[in-house]
Amino acid sequence: LFYPVFMTTHYYKTADNLLKADQEVAKLSDEMQFYSNKLAKNITDSFKQELWEAKYINVRAKYKYAKSDLEKTLNSAKYCKIWEKIL
């Protein structure tokens, strides 16, 4: 909801930051799902099992940071005085 509002009110940098943060969270969420599915399968090769676990842990850490960053961006976006320009 914020992205089109910021684009309409010419807050392009804020809109771009929101879009990038949202895309990063979506990408990392997809990667977490992918690695989770890989780990759910019965893998007989211990090297592959350790590889998928390491990648999953790495992506999960990045996801937590990206989600926190997105929440911070959204919270700061709420305080922009864009509603006065729209209404």
Side-chain angles (χ1 to χ4, degrees):
L1 177 67
F2 282 110
Y3 181 77
V5 172
F6 282 123
M7 290 300 288
T8 303
T9 56
H10 306 290
Y11 282 85
Y12 300 119
K13 187 174 181 179
T14 306
D16 288 342
N17 289 340
L18 279 170
L19 183 63
K20 287 178 186 177
D22 186 51
Q23 287 175 338
E24 183 69 16
V25 168
K27 182 188 103 172
L28 291 171
S29 177
D30 288 345
E31 284 185 38
M32 273 186 19
Q33 184 66 37
F34 174 77
Y35 294 130
S36 177
N37 289 341
K38 288 288 188 179
L39 288 171
K41 295 178 182 177
N42 290 333
I43 300 173
T44 56
D45 187 3
S46 64
F47 174 76
K48 285 185 179 180
Q49 180 73 21
E50 289 177 19
L51 177 69
W52 295 127
E53 285 177 7
K55 287 187 175 191
Y56 177 78
I57 291 169
N58 186 23
V59 169
R60 188 177 64 195
K62 288 180 182 179
Y63 174 79
K64 287 181 181 180
Y65 176 76
K67 188 174 179 185
S68 172
D69 189 42
L70 176 61
E71 289 173 0
K72 289 177 188 174
T73 306
L74 285 172
N75 285 335
S76 67
K78 290 178 186 177
Y79 295 105
C80 289
K81 295 185 179 184
I82 56 170
W83 306 114
E84 295 170 1
K85 291 183 179 182
I86 295 174
L87 303 174

Coordinates of all heavy atoms in Angstrom, one line a residue:
L1 N 0.8 -1.2 0.0 CA 0.0 0.0 0.0 C 0.9 1.3 0.0 O 0.5 2.2 -0.6 CB -0.9 0.0 1.2 CG -1.8 1.2 1.4 CD1 -2.8 1.3 0.3 CD2 -2.4 1.2 2.7
F2 N 2.0 1.2 0.7 CA 2.8 2.4 0.8 C 3.5 2.8 -0.5 O 3.7 4.0 -0.8 CB 3.9 2.3 1.9 CG 3.3 2.5 3.3 CD1 3.2 1.4 4.1 CD2 2.9 3.7 3.7 CE1 2.7 1.6 5.4 CE2 2.4 3.9 5.0 CZ 2.3 2.9 5.8
Y3 N 3.9 1.8 -1.3 CA 4.7 2.0 -2.5 C 4.0 2.9 -3.5 O 4.5 4.0 -3.9 CB 5.1 0.7 -3.2 CG 5.9 0.9 -4.4 CD1 7.3 1.3 -4.3 CD2 5.4 0.8 -5.7 CE1 8.1 1.5 -5.4 CE2 6.2 1.0 -6.8 CZ 7.5 1.4 -6.7 OH 8.2 1.6 -7.8
P4 N 2.7 2.6 -3.9 CA 2.1 3.5 -4.8 C 1.8 4.9 -4.2 O 1.8 5.9 -5.0 CB 0.8 2.8 -5.2 CG 0.6 1.7 -4.2 CD 1.9 1.4 -3.6
V5 N 1.6 5.0 -3.0 CA 1.3 6.3 -2.3 C 2.6 7.1 -2.4 O 2.5 8.3 -2.7 CB 0.8 6.1 -0.9 CG1 0.8 7.4 -0.1 CG2 -0.5 5.4 -0.8
F6 N 3.7 6.5 -2.1 CA 5.0 7.3 -2.1 C 5.3 7.7 -3.6 O 5.9 8.7 -3.8 CB 6.1 6.5 -1.5 CG 6.1 6.5 0.0 CD1 6.1 5.3 0.7 CD2 6.1 7.7 0.7 CE1 6.0 5.4 2.1 CE2 6.1 7.7 2.1 CZ 6.1 6.6 2.8
M7 N 5.0 6.8 -4.5 CA 5.3 7.2 -5.9 C 4.4 8.3 -6.4 O 4.9 9.2 -7.1 CB 5.1 5.9 -6.8 CG 6.1 4.9 -6.6 SD 7.8 5.4 -7.0 CE 7.8 5.5 -8.7
T8 N 3.2 8.3 -5.9 CA 2.2 9.4 -6.3 C 2.6 10.7 -5.7 O 2.5 11.7 -6.4 CB 0.8 9.0 -5.8 OG1 0.5 7.7 -6.4 CG2 -0.2 10.0 -6.3
T9 N 3.2 10.7 -4.5 CA 3.5 11.9 -3.8 C 5.0 12.3 -4.0 O 5.5 13.2 -3.4 CB 3.3 11.8 -2.3 OG1 4.0 10.6 -1.8 CG2 1.8 11.6 -2.0
H10 N 5.7 11.6 -5.0 CA 7.0 11.9 -5.4 C 8.1 11.7 -4.3 O 9.1 12.3 -4.2 CB 7.1 13.4 -5.9 CG 6.2 13.7 -7.0 ND1 6.3 13.1 -8.2 CD2 5.0 14.4 -7.0 CE1 5.2 13.5 -9.0 NE2 4.5 14.3 -8.2
Y11 N 7.8 10.7 -3.4 CA 8.8 10.2 -2.5 C 9.5 9.0 -3.0 O 9.4 7.9 -2.6 CB 8.2 9.9 -1.1 CG 7.8 11.0 -0.3 CD1 6.6 11.7 -0.4 CD2 8.7 11.5 0.8 CE1 6.3 12.8 0.4 CE2 8.3 12.5 1.6 CZ 7.1 13.2 1.4 OH 6.8 14.3 2.2
Y12 N 10.3 9.2 -4.1 CA 10.8 8.1 -4.9 C 11.8 7.3 -4.1 O 11.9 6.1 -4.2 CB 11.4 8.6 -6.2 CG 10.4 9.3 -7.1 CD1 10.6 10.6 -7.4 CD2 9.3 8.6 -7.5 CE1 9.7 11.3 -8.2 CE2 8.4 9.3 -8.4 CZ 8.6 10.6 -8.7 OH 7.7 11.2 -9.5
K13 N 12.7 7.9 -3.3 CA 13.7 7.2 -2.6 C 13.1 6.3 -1.5 O 13.5 5.2 -1.4 CB 14.7 8.2 -1.9 CG 15.9 7.5 -1.3 CD 16.9 8.5 -0.8 CE 18.1 7.8 -0.2 NZ 19.1 8.7 0.3
T14 N 12.1 6.8 -0.8 CA 11.4 6.0 0.2 C 10.7 4.9 -0.5 O 10.7 3.7 0.0 CB 10.4 6.9 1.0 OG1 11.1 8.0 1.5 CG2 9.8 6.1 2.1
A15 N 10.0 5.1 -1.6 CA 9.3 4.0 -2.3 C 10.3 3.0 -2.8 O 10.0 1.8 -2.7 CB 8.6 4.6 -3.5
D16 N 11.5 3.4 -3.3 CA 12.5 2.4 -3.7 C 13.0 1.6 -2.6 O 13.2 0.4 -2.7 CB 13.6 3.1 -4.5 CG 13.2 3.6 -5.8 OD1 12.1 3.2 -6.4 OD2 13.9 4.5 -6.4
N17 N 13.2 2.2 -1.5 CA 13.7 1.5 -0.3 C 12.7 0.5 0.2 O 13.1 -0.7 0.5 CB 14.0 2.5 0.9 CG 15.3 3.3 0.6 OD1 16.1 2.9 -0.2 ND2 15.4 4.4 1.3
L18 N 11.4 0.8 0.2 CA 10.4 -0.1 0.5 C 10.3 -1.3 -0.4 O 10.2 -2.4 0.0 CB 9.0 0.6 0.6 CG 8.7 1.4 1.8 CD1 7.4 2.2 1.6 CD2 8.5 0.5 3.0
L19 N 10.4 -1.0 -1.7 CA 10.3 -2.0 -2.7 C 11.5 -3.0 -2.6 O 11.3 -4.2 -2.6 CB 10.3 -1.4 -4.1 CG 10.1 -2.4 -5.3 CD1 8.8 -3.1 -5.2 CD2 10.2 -1.6 -6.6
K20 N 12.7 -2.4 -2.4 CA 13.9 -3.3 -2.3 C 13.8 -4.2 -1.1 O 14.2 -5.4 -1.1 CB 15.2 -2.4 -2.3 CG 15.5 -1.8 -3.6 CD 16.7 -1.0 -3.5 CE 17.0 -0.3 -4.8 NZ 18.1 0.7 -4.8
A21 N 13.4 -3.6 0.0 CA 13.3 -4.4 1.3 C 12.3 -5.5 1.2 O 12.5 -6.6 1.6 CB 13.0 -3.4 2.4
D22 N 11.1 -5.1 0.5 CA 10.1 -6.2 0.4 C 10.5 -7.3 -0.6 O 10.3 -8.4 -0.3 CB 8.8 -5.5 -0.2 CG 7.7 -6.4 -0.2 OD1 7.4 -7.1 0.8 OD2 7.0 -6.6 -1.3
Q23 N 11.2 -6.9 -1.6 CA 11.7 -7.9 -2.6 C 12.8 -8.8 -1.9 O 12.8 -10.0 -2.2 CB 12.3 -7.3 -3.8 CG 11.3 -6.7 -4.7 CD 11.9 -5.9 -5.9 OE1 13.1 -5.5 -5.8 NE2 11.1 -5.7 -7.0
E24 N 13.6 -8.3 -1.1 CA 14.6 -9.0 -0.4 C 14.0 -10.1 0.6 O 14.4 -11.2 0.6 CB 15.6 -8.1 0.4 CG 16.7 -8.8 1.1 CD 17.7 -9.5 0.1 OE1 17.8 -9.1 -1.1 OE2 18.5 -10.3 0.6
V25 N 13.0 -9.6 1.3 CA 12.3 -10.5 2.2 C 11.6 -11.6 1.4 O 11.6 -12.8 1.8 CB 11.3 -9.7 3.1 CG1 10.3 -10.7 3.8 CG2 12.0 -8.8 4.1
A26 N 10.9 -11.3 0.3 CA 10.3 -12.3 -0.5 C 11.2 -13.3 -1.0 O 11.0 -14.5 -1.0 CB 9.5 -11.6 -1.6
K27 N 12.4 -12.8 -1.5 CA 13.4 -13.7 -2.1 C 14.0 -14.7 -1.0 O 14.1 -15.9 -1.3 CB 14.5 -12.9 -2.7 CG 15.6 -13.7 -3.4 CD 16.8 -12.9 -3.7 CE 17.8 -13.1 -2.7 NZ 19.1 -12.7 -2.7
L28 N 14.3 -14.1 0.1 CA 14.8 -15.0 1.2 C 13.8 -15.9 1.7 O 14.1 -17.1 2.1 CB 15.4 -14.1 2.3 CG 16.6 -13.3 1.9 CD1 17.0 -12.3 3.0 CD2 17.8 -14.2 1.7
S29 N 12.5 -15.5 1.7 CA 11.5 -16.4 2.2 C 11.4 -17.6 1.2 O 11.2 -18.8 1.7 CB 10.1 -15.7 2.2 OG 9.1 -16.5 2.6
D30 N 11.5 -17.3 -0.1 CA 11.4 -18.4 -1.1 C 12.6 -19.4 -0.9 O 12.5 -20.6 -1.0 CB 11.4 -17.9 -2.5 CG 10.1 -17.2 -2.9 OD1 9.1 -17.5 -2.2 OD2 10.1 -16.5 -3.9
E31 N 13.8 -18.8 -0.6 CA 15.0 -19.6 -0.4 C 14.9 -20.5 0.8 O 15.3 -21.6 0.8 CB 16.2 -18.7 -0.3 CG 16.7 -18.2 -1.7 CD 18.0 -17.4 -1.5 OE1 18.9 -17.8 -0.7 OE2 18.2 -16.4 -2.2
M32 N 14.3 -19.9 1.9 CA 14.1 -20.7 3.1 C 13.2 -21.8 2.8 O 13.4 -23.0 3.3 CB 13.5 -19.8 4.2 CG 14.6 -19.1 5.0 SD 14.0 -18.2 6.4 CE 12.4 -18.8 6.8
Q33 N 12.1 -21.6 2.1 CA 11.2 -22.7 1.7 C 11.9 -23.8 0.9 O 11.7 -25.0 1.1 CB 10.0 -22.1 1.0 CG 8.9 -23.1 0.7 CD 8.2 -23.6 1.9 OE1 8.0 -22.9 2.9 NE2 7.9 -24.9 1.9
F34 N 12.7 -23.3 -0.1 CA 13.4 -24.3 -0.9 C 14.3 -25.2 -0.1 O 14.3 -26.4 -0.2 CB 14.2 -23.5 -2.0 CG 15.1 -24.4 -2.8 CD1 14.6 -25.2 -3.8 CD2 16.5 -24.4 -2.5 CE1 15.4 -26.0 -4.6 CE2 17.3 -25.2 -3.3 CZ 16.8 -26.0 -4.3
Y35 N 15.1 -24.6 0.8 CA 16.1 -25.3 1.6 C 15.3 -26.2 2.6 O 15.8 -27.3 3.0 CB 17.1 -24.4 2.3 CG 18.0 -23.8 1.3 CD1 18.3 -22.4 1.3 CD2 18.7 -24.5 0.3 CE1 19.1 -21.8 0.4 CE2 19.5 -23.9 -0.6 CZ 19.7 -22.6 -0.6 OH 20.6 -22.0 -1.5
S36 N 14.2 -25.7 3.1 CA 13.4 -26.5 4.1 C 12.9 -27.7 3.4 O 12.9 -28.8 4.0 CB 12.3 -25.6 4.6 OG 11.5 -26.4 5.4
N37 N 12.5 -27.6 2.1 CA 12.0 -28.7 1.4 C 13.1 -29.7 1.1 O 12.9 -30.9 1.2 CB 11.4 -28.3 0.1 CG 10.0 -27.6 0.2 OD1 9.4 -27.7 1.3 ND2 9.6 -26.9 -0.8
K38 N 14.3 -29.2 0.8 CA 15.5 -30.1 0.6 C 15.8 -30.9 1.9 O 16.1 -32.1 1.8 CB 16.7 -29.3 0.2 CG 16.6 -28.8 -1.2 CD 16.8 -29.9 -2.2 CE 16.9 -29.3 -3.6 NZ 17.1 -30.4 -4.6
L39 N 15.7 -30.2 3.1 CA 16.0 -30.9 4.3 C 14.9 -31.9 4.7 O 15.2 -32.8 5.4 CB 16.2 -29.8 5.4 CG 17.4 -29.0 5.4 CD1 17.4 -27.9 6.4 CD2 18.7 -29.9 5.6
A40 N 13.7 -31.7 4.3 CA 12.6 -32.6 4.6 C 12.7 -33.9 3.9 O 12.2 -34.9 4.4 CB 11.3 -31.9 4.3
K41 N 13.4 -33.9 2.8 CA 13.6 -35.2 2.1 C 14.7 -36.0 2.8 O 15.6 -35.5 3.4 CB 14.1 -34.9 0.6 CG 13.1 -34.2 -0.2 CD 13.6 -33.9 -1.6 CE 12.6 -33.2 -2.4 NZ 13.1 -32.8 -3.7
N42 N 14.5 -37.3 2.7 CA 15.5 -38.2 3.3 C 16.8 -38.2 2.4 O 16.8 -38.8 1.3 CB 15.0 -39.6 3.4 CG 13.9 -39.7 4.4 OD1 13.9 -38.9 5.4 ND2 13.0 -40.6 4.3
I43 N 17.8 -37.6 2.8 CA 19.1 -37.5 2.1 C 20.1 -38.5 2.7 O 20.3 -38.4 3.9 CB 19.6 -36.1 2.1 CG1 18.6 -35.1 1.5 CG2 21.0 -36.0 1.4 CD1 19.0 -33.6 1.6
T44 N 20.6 -39.4 2.0 CA 21.5 -40.4 2.5 C 22.9 -39.9 2.5 O 23.7 -40.3 3.3 CB 21.5 -41.7 1.6 OG1 21.7 -41.3 0.3 CG2 20.1 -42.3 1.7
D45 N 23.2 -38.9 1.6 CA 24.6 -38.3 1.6 C 24.7 -37.3 2.7 O 24.0 -36.3 2.7 CB 24.8 -37.7 0.2 CG 26.2 -37.2 0.0 OD1 27.1 -37.5 0.9 OD2 26.5 -36.7 -1.1
S46 N 25.6 -37.6 3.6 CA 25.8 -36.6 4.8 C 26.4 -35.3 4.3 O 26.1 -34.3 5.0 CB 26.7 -37.3 5.8 OG 28.0 -37.5 5.3
F47 N 27.2 -35.3 3.3 CA 27.7 -34.0 2.8 C 26.6 -33.1 2.3 O 26.6 -31.9 2.7 CB 28.7 -34.2 1.7 CG 29.2 -32.9 1.1 CD1 30.1 -32.2 1.7 CD2 28.7 -32.5 -0.2 CE1 30.6 -31.0 1.2 CE2 29.2 -31.4 -0.7 CZ 30.1 -30.6 -0.1
K48 N 25.7 -33.6 1.5 CA 24.5 -32.9 1.0 C 23.7 -32.4 2.2 O 23.2 -31.3 2.2 CB 23.7 -33.7 0.0 CG 24.3 -33.8 -1.3 CD 23.4 -34.5 -2.3 CE 24.0 -34.6 -3.6 NZ 23.1 -35.3 -4.6
Q49 N 23.5 -33.3 3.2 CA 22.6 -32.9 4.3 C 23.3 -31.7 5.1 O 22.6 -30.7 5.4 CB 22.5 -34.1 5.3 CG 21.7 -33.8 6.5 CD 20.2 -33.7 6.2 OE1 19.7 -34.2 5.2 NE2 19.5 -33.1 7.1
E50 N 24.6 -31.7 5.3 CA 25.2 -30.7 6.0 C 25.2 -29.4 5.1 O 25.1 -28.3 5.7 CB 26.7 -31.1 6.3 CG 26.7 -32.1 7.4 CD 28.2 -32.5 7.7 OE1 29.1 -31.8 7.3 OE2 28.3 -33.6 8.3
L51 N 25.4 -29.6 3.8 CA 25.4 -28.4 2.9 C 24.0 -27.7 3.0 O 23.9 -26.5 3.1 CB 25.7 -28.9 1.5 CG 25.6 -27.8 0.4 CD1 26.8 -26.8 0.6 CD2 25.7 -28.4 -1.0
W52 N 22.9 -28.5 2.9 CA 21.6 -27.9 2.9 C 21.3 -27.2 4.3 O 20.7 -26.2 4.3 CB 20.5 -28.9 2.6 CG 20.5 -29.4 1.2 CD1 20.5 -30.8 0.9 CD2 20.6 -28.7 0.0 NE1 20.6 -30.9 -0.5 CE2 20.6 -29.6 -1.1 CE3 20.6 -27.4 -0.3 CZ2 20.6 -29.3 -2.4 CZ3 20.6 -27.0 -1.7 CH2 20.6 -27.9 -2.7
E53 N 21.8 -27.8 5.3 CA 21.6 -27.3 6.7 C 22.3 -25.9 6.8 O 21.8 -25.0 7.3 CB 22.1 -28.2 7.8 CG 21.1 -29.4 8.0 CD 21.7 -30.4 9.0 OE1 22.7 -30.1 9.6 OE2 21.0 -31.4 9.2
A54 N 23.5 -25.9 6.3 CA 24.3 -24.7 6.4 C 23.7 -23.6 5.6 O 23.6 -22.4 6.0 CB 25.8 -24.9 5.9
K55 N 23.2 -23.9 4.4 CA 22.6 -22.9 3.6 C 21.3 -22.4 4.2 O 21.0 -21.2 4.1 CB 22.3 -23.4 2.1 CG 23.6 -23.6 1.3 CD 23.3 -24.0 -0.1 CE 24.6 -24.0 -0.9 NZ 24.4 -24.1 -2.3
Y56 N 20.5 -23.3 4.8 CA 19.3 -22.9 5.4 C 19.5 -22.0 6.6 O 18.8 -21.0 6.7 CB 18.5 -24.2 5.9 CG 17.2 -23.9 6.6 CD1 16.1 -23.5 5.9 CD2 17.2 -23.9 8.0 CE1 14.9 -23.2 6.6 CE2 16.0 -23.6 8.7 CZ 14.9 -23.2 7.9 OH 13.7 -22.9 8.6
I57 N 20.5 -22.3 7.4 CA 20.8 -21.5 8.6 C 21.3 -20.1 8.1 O 20.9 -19.1 8.7 CB 21.9 -22.2 9.4 CG1 21.3 -23.4 10.1 CG2 22.5 -21.2 10.5 CD1 22.3 -24.3 10.8
N58 N 22.1 -20.0 7.1 CA 22.6 -18.8 6.5 C 21.4 -17.9 6.0 O 21.3 -16.7 6.3 CB 23.6 -19.0 5.4 CG 24.2 -17.8 4.9 OD1 24.3 -16.8 5.6 ND2 24.7 -17.8 3.7
V59 N 20.5 -18.5 5.2 CA 19.4 -17.8 4.7 C 18.4 -17.4 5.8 O 17.9 -16.3 5.7 CB 18.7 -18.7 3.6 CG1 17.3 -18.1 3.2 CG2 19.5 -18.8 2.4
R60 N 18.2 -18.2 6.8 CA 17.3 -17.9 7.9 C 17.9 -16.6 8.6 O 17.1 -15.7 9.0 CB 17.2 -19.0 8.8 CG 16.1 -18.8 9.9 CD 15.9 -20.0 10.8 NE 17.2 -20.2 11.5 CZ 17.5 -21.3 12.2 NH1 16.6 -22.3 12.2 NH2 18.6 -21.5 12.8
A61 N 19.2 -16.6 8.8 CA 19.7 -15.4 9.5 C 19.6 -14.1 8.7 O 19.2 -13.1 9.2 CB 21.2 -15.6 9.8
K62 N 19.8 -14.3 7.4 CA 19.6 -13.1 6.5 C 18.2 -12.7 6.4 O 17.8 -11.5 6.4 CB 20.1 -13.5 5.0 CG 21.6 -13.6 4.9 CD 21.9 -13.9 3.4 CE 23.4 -14.1 3.2 NZ 23.7 -14.5 1.8
Y63 N 17.2 -13.7 6.5 CA 15.8 -13.4 6.4 C 15.4 -12.6 7.7 O 14.6 -11.6 7.6 CB 15.0 -14.7 6.3 CG 13.5 -14.5 6.5 CD1 12.8 -14.1 5.4 CD2 12.8 -14.8 7.6 CE1 11.4 -13.9 5.5 CE2 11.5 -14.6 7.7 CZ 10.8 -14.2 6.7 OH 9.4 -14.0 6.7
K64 N 15.9 -13.0 8.8 CA 15.5 -12.3 10.1 C 16.0 -10.8 10.0 O 15.3 -9.9 10.4 CB 16.1 -13.0 11.3 CG 15.4 -14.3 11.6 CD 16.0 -14.9 12.9 CE 15.4 -16.2 13.2 NZ 15.9 -16.9 14.4
Y65 N 17.2 -10.6 9.5 CA 17.7 -9.3 9.4 C 16.9 -8.5 8.4 O 16.6 -7.3 8.6 CB 19.2 -9.3 9.0 CG 19.8 -7.9 8.8 CD1 20.1 -7.1 9.9 CD2 20.0 -7.4 7.5 CE1 20.6 -5.8 9.7 CE2 20.5 -6.2 7.3 CZ 20.8 -5.4 8.4 OH 21.3 -4.1 8.2
A66 N 16.6 -9.1 7.2 CA 15.9 -8.4 6.2 C 14.5 -8.0 6.6 O 13.9 -7.0 6.3 CB 15.8 -9.2 4.9
K67 N 13.8 -9.0 7.3 CA 12.5 -8.7 7.8 C 12.5 -7.6 8.8 O 11.6 -6.7 8.8 CB 11.9 -10.0 8.4 CG 10.4 -9.9 8.8 CD 9.9 -11.2 9.3 CE 8.4 -11.0 9.6 NZ 7.9 -12.2 10.2
S68 N 13.5 -7.6 9.7 CA 13.6 -6.5 10.7 C 13.8 -5.2 10.0 O 13.2 -4.1 10.4 CB 14.8 -6.8 11.6 OG 15.0 -5.7 12.4
D69 N 14.6 -5.2 9.0 CA 14.9 -3.9 8.2 C 13.6 -3.5 7.5 O 13.4 -2.3 7.5 CB 16.0 -4.2 7.2 CG 16.5 -2.9 6.5 OD1 16.6 -1.9 7.1 OD2 16.7 -3.0 5.2
L70 N 12.9 -4.4 6.9 CA 11.6 -4.0 6.3 C 10.6 -3.4 7.3 O 10.0 -2.4 7.0 CB 11.0 -5.2 5.6 CG 9.6 -5.0 5.0 CD1 9.7 -3.9 3.9 CD2 9.0 -6.3 4.4
E71 N 10.5 -4.0 8.5 CA 9.7 -3.5 9.5 C 10.1 -2.1 10.0 O 9.2 -1.2 10.1 CB 9.6 -4.4 10.7 CG 8.9 -5.7 10.4 CD 9.0 -6.7 11.6 OE1 9.6 -6.4 12.6 OE2 8.4 -7.8 11.4
K72 N 11.4 -1.8 10.1 CA 11.9 -0.5 10.4 C 11.5 0.5 9.3 O 11.1 1.6 9.6 CB 13.4 -0.5 10.6 CG 13.8 -1.2 11.9 CD 15.3 -1.3 12.0 CE 15.8 -2.1 13.1 NZ 17.2 -2.3 13.2
T73 N 11.7 0.1 8.1 CA 11.4 1.0 7.0 C 9.9 1.3 6.9 O 9.5 2.4 6.7 CB 11.8 0.3 5.6 OG1 13.2 -0.1 5.7 CG2 11.6 1.2 4.5
L74 N 9.1 0.3 7.2 CA 7.6 0.5 7.2 C 7.2 1.4 8.3 O 6.4 2.3 8.2 CB 6.9 -0.8 7.3 CG 6.8 -1.6 6.0 CD1 6.2 -3.0 6.3 CD2 6.0 -0.9 5.0
N75 N 7.8 1.2 9.5 CA 7.5 2.1 10.6 C 7.9 3.5 10.4 O 7.2 4.5 10.8 CB 8.2 1.6 11.9 CG 7.5 0.3 12.5 OD1 6.3 0.1 12.2 ND2 8.2 -0.5 13.2
S76 N 9.1 3.7 9.8 CA 9.5 5.1 9.5 C 8.6 5.7 8.4 O 8.4 6.9 8.4 CB 10.9 5.2 9.1 OG 11.2 4.5 7.9
A77 N 8.1 4.9 7.5 CA 7.3 5.4 6.4 C 5.9 5.8 6.9 O 5.3 6.8 6.3 CB 7.1 4.3 5.3
K78 N 5.5 5.3 8.0 CA 4.2 5.7 8.6 C 4.2 7.1 9.0 O 3.2 7.8 9.1 CB 3.8 4.8 9.7 CG 3.5 3.4 9.3 CD 3.2 2.5 10.6 CE 3.0 1.1 10.2 NZ 2.8 0.2 11.4
Y79 N 5.4 7.6 9.4 CA 5.5 9.0 9.9 C 5.8 10.0 8.9 O 5.9 11.2 9.2 CB 6.6 9.0 11.0 CG 6.2 8.1 12.2 CD1 6.8 6.9 12.4 CD2 5.2 8.5 13.1 CE1 6.4 6.1 13.5 CE2 4.8 7.8 14.1 CZ 5.4 6.5 14.3 OH 5.0 5.7 15.4
C80 N 5.9 9.7 7.6 CA 6.0 10.7 6.6 C 4.7 11.4 6.4 O 3.6 10.8 6.5 CB 6.4 10.0 5.2 SG 8.1 9.4 5.2
K81 N 4.8 12.7 6.1 CA 3.6 13.5 6.0 C 3.1 13.5 4.6 O 2.9 14.5 3.9 CB 3.9 14.9 6.4 CG 4.3 15.0 7.9 CD 4.4 16.4 8.3 CE 4.8 16.4 9.8 NZ 4.9 17.7 10.4
I82 N 2.7 12.3 4.1 CA 2.2 12.1 2.7 C 0.7 12.2 2.7 O 0.2 12.6 1.7 CB 2.6 10.7 2.2 CG1 2.2 9.6 3.0 CG2 4.1 10.7 1.9 CD1 2.3 8.2 2.4
W83 N 0.0 12.0 3.8 CA -1.4 12.0 3.8 C -2.0 13.4 3.5 O -3.0 13.5 3.0 CB -1.9 11.4 5.1 CG -1.4 10.0 5.3 CD1 -0.5 9.7 6.3 CD2 -1.5 8.8 4.5 NE1 -0.1 8.3 6.2 CE2 -0.7 7.8 5.1 CE3 -2.2 8.5 3.3 CZ2 -0.6 6.5 4.5 CZ3 -2.1 7.3 2.8 CH2 -1.3 6.3 3.4
E84 N -1.2 14.4 3.9 CA -1.7 15.7 3.7 C -1.7 16.1 2.2 O -2.5 16.8 1.8 CB -0.8 16.7 4.5 CG -0.8 16.6 6.0 CD 0.2 17.3 6.7 OE1 1.0 18.0 6.0 OE2 0.3 17.3 7.9
K85 N -0.7 15.5 1.5 CA -0.7 15.8 0.1 C -1.8 15.1 -0.7 O -2.2 15.5 -1.7 CB 0.7 15.4 -0.5 CG 1.8 16.3 0.0 CD 3.1 15.8 -0.7 CE 4.3 16.7 -0.2 NZ 5.5 16.3 -0.9
I86 N -2.2 13.9 -0.2 CA -3.2 13.1 -0.9 C -4.6 13.6 -0.7 O -5.4 13.8 -1.6 CB -3.1 11.6 -0.5 CG1 -1.7 11.1 -1.0 CG2 -4.2 10.8 -1.1 CD1 -1.5 9.7 -0.5
L87 N -4.8 13.9 0.6 CA -6.2 14.4 0.9 C -6.3 15.8 0.7 O -6.8 16.6 0.3 CB -6.5 14.1 2.4 CG -6.3 12.6 2.8 CD1 -6.5 12.4 4.3 CD2 -7.3 11.8 2.1

